Amino acid sequence: LPHLDDAYNLARHLMRDDHDAEDVVQEAYLRALRYFDSFRGTQARAWLLAIVRHTAYTLRRRGRVAALTTEFSDELHSASAAEQGPGRDLDRQETADRVRSALEEVPARFREVLVLREMRGLSYEEIARIVRAPVGTVMSRLSRARARLAQALTRATEEPE
Amino acid sequence: MTQPPLPYYPAPAGLRERVQSAIRRPVRRGPRREVLWALGLAATLLLSIGTWSFGAAGRANDAELQMVLDGHLRSLAPGHLTDVTSTDQHTVKPWFAGKLDFSPPVVDPASAGYPLVGGRVDVVAGLPTAALVYSRRSHIINLFIRPTDRVGTGPARESVRRGYNIVTWSASGMQLWAVSDLNLEELREFQKLVAHPATP
């Protein structure tokens, strides 16, 4: 199973839920296997991530996943925070949690370009192919996504805990 | 403000196994289905070859032969022999037009002692069949003809049923049965006379 971590990472960011992300990854690999004949080229990771993304949005549209209809859920976030466990570096831990929460507030269309851009070695062209948008769109979406994330982070910092 | 590092979620423990087992199921099912297909295909092939070759031996065509013989016996009942009574092949052949969806080859080997008596439309094994009637001395020969999918010319096969001789063969997309109480030698001779009818 190549690129399982990247596949799960993208799915987890898009679904914002561990179980849904696992379902997406399983379904995506099954689809990838089924359509492997249609795979042309060398960018297997980009191809697979495109399938993961498509699967995630399909599950979302079906309304099977409740977490996606709730843009922001305290329950989800506290759960993901709890998973982290007690961190040694509380400050860094806190920052990571805040980023996580802030990122999950960013709409999926922006979130996905941020996440894909963070993945090692994915070019703009590959990201564009994965999200099925022109490269220019990807770049503008990326800058808007960064602005949104910054906004969300600032909001989170300003709001007293 | 620079973008802070985003969280990276590595695949949780157990996901690899879960996905792998999910993948393996349909994959394992795949070859098995192919094997089934192959077996089915082989069985079908064997069956059709078997039917064809055993039919050549006159076994699988048993029921058909019986129906051909029944047709012959029916025709011997008074008034059932011919619908068109003519010794002229050019009268008999056009007579079938409009009664059958094929045109049976009609020859008249009268000079060899097998004169054409006439023809009729029969139903053999549920299929419309042309029946040509010939005579040899006091014997009646029914020649049943109907189209077949078999291509080329098949070898003549002989069988005996209840004292009647039946010779069947295929030629030019037609299956033919000659049925008579005539002795086998003369029926063979008759078969050769009408075997490769040059369609007029």
Side-chain angles (χ1 to χ4, degrees):
Chain A
L1 289 182
H3 316 301
L4 185 68
D5 283 341
D6 280 351
Y8 180 78
N9 182 46
L10 178 62
R12 176 63 181 75
H13 275 293
L14 285 175
M15 305 308 278
R16 295 177 301 185
D17 177 85
D18 297 333
H19 294 295
D20 292 342
E22 290 195 27
D23 287 346
V24 164
V25 168
Q26 176 174 329
E27 177 68 20
Y29 273 93
L30 285 175
R31 287 189 191 188
L33 205 72
R34 208 179 308 148
Y35 301 120
F36 193 69
D37 290 343
S38 67
F39 171 61
R40 302 269 182 282
T42 49
Q43 293 157 338
R45 183 166 67 151
W47 179 72
L48 182 71
L49 290 175
I51 294 176
V52 168
R53 175 185 173 273
H54 182 73
T55 308
Y57 281 113
T58 306
L59 288 189
R60 238 181 122 125
R61 256 201 314 280
R62 274 186 210 150
R64 251 184 58 187
V65 182
L68 287 169
T69 53
T70 334
E71 259 303 305
F72 188 87
S73 152
D74 285 328
E75 204 181 34
L76 265 175
H77 300 142
S78 58
S80 61
E83 272 164 35
Q84 286 298 112
R88 259 186 223 160
D89 189 342
L90 280 176
D91 191 42
R92 218 167 89 193
Q93 187 59 53
E94 214 174 276
T95 310
D97 280 350
R98 282 216 321 274
V99 172
R100 189 190 303 258
S101 303
L103 184 64
E104 291 189 354
E105 274 183 86
V106 175
R109 296 280 159 185
F110 298 111
R111 196 162 65 232
E112 65 184 7
V113 287
L114 278 177
V115 170
L116 289 169
R117 190 60 199 139
E118 281 276 295
M119 284 191 193
R120 253 176 297 117
L122 272 190
S123 67
Y124 281 111
E125 285 74 22
E126 283 176 304
I127 294 173
R129 211 169 303 129
I130 291 169
V131 303
R132 294 183 184 183
V135 174
T137 308
V138 168
M139 288 168 119
S140 67
R141 229 183 251 173
L142 195 58
S143 69
R144 285 175 69 190
R146 282 179 177 140
R148 288 230 185 190
L149 178 62
Q151 264 175 29
L153 272 171
T154 315
R155 228 182 4 251
T157 322
E158 279 168 359
E159 279 167 16
E161 287 284 323
Chain B
M1 180 180 176
T2 53
Q3 188 195 311
L6 303 181
Y8 185 91
Y9 301 95
L15 179 60
R16 185 173 295 271
E17 286 68 31
R18 180 186 157 186
V19 173
Q20 267 167 348
S21 67
I23 287 174
R24 224 171 286 130
R25 255 177 283 133
V27 163
R28 207 184 287 150
R29 213 185 295 142
R32 213 183 293 149
R33 205 182 296 152
E34 278 159 32
V35 166
L36 275 177
W37 268 103
L39 280 176
L41 197 69
T44 311
L45 267 171
L46 276 175
L47 255 174
S48 49
I49 290 170
T51 309
W52 186 78
S53 53
F54 282 127
R59 274 232 306 244
N61 279 354
D62 243 27
E64 212 172 44
L65 285 178
Q66 184 60 50
M67 291 187 195
V68 168
L69 178 60
D70 288 346
H72 176 75
L73 295 174
R74 242 186 346 261
S75 75
L76 300 179
H80 285 266
L81 191 57
T82 54
D83 290 328
V84 54
T85 306
S86 171
T87 55
D88 183 2
Q89 66 194 82
H90 300 294
T91 303
V92 172
K93 187 177 169 69
W95 178 85
F96 283 107
K99 298 179 181 64
L100 292 170
D101 60 352
F102 62 96
S103 182
V106 181
V107 290
D108 184 14
S111 53
Y114 299 87
L116 179 68
V117 176
R120 69 177 188 282
V121 172
D122 216 327
V123 176
V124 174
L127 294 169
T129 306
L132 299 175
V133 183
Y134 297 89
S135 68
R136 174 68 168 178
R137 298 184 305 273
S138 57
H139 300 279
I140 293 292
I141 305 169
N142 265 294
L143 180 62
F144 295 93
I145 306 171
R146 74 163 174 242
T148 176
D149 291 333
R150 209 168 290 162
V151 285
T153 300
R157 309 189 301 265
E158 299 165 352
S159 41
V160 185
R161 287 187 153 256
R162 284 192 257 157
Y164 287 90
N165 287 311
I166 305 173
V167 180
T168 178
W169 71 101
S170 57
S172 341
M174 296 285 173
Q175 184 70 37
L176 301 93
W177 296 265
V179 191
S180 182
D181 56 350
L182 196 64
N183 63 74
L184 191 56
E185 281 73 45
E186 287 186 289
L187 195 61
R188 276 183 194 144
E189 192 191 4
F190 169 77
Q191 189 268 331
K192 283 186 187 74
L193 290 166
V194 296
H196 298 285
T199 320

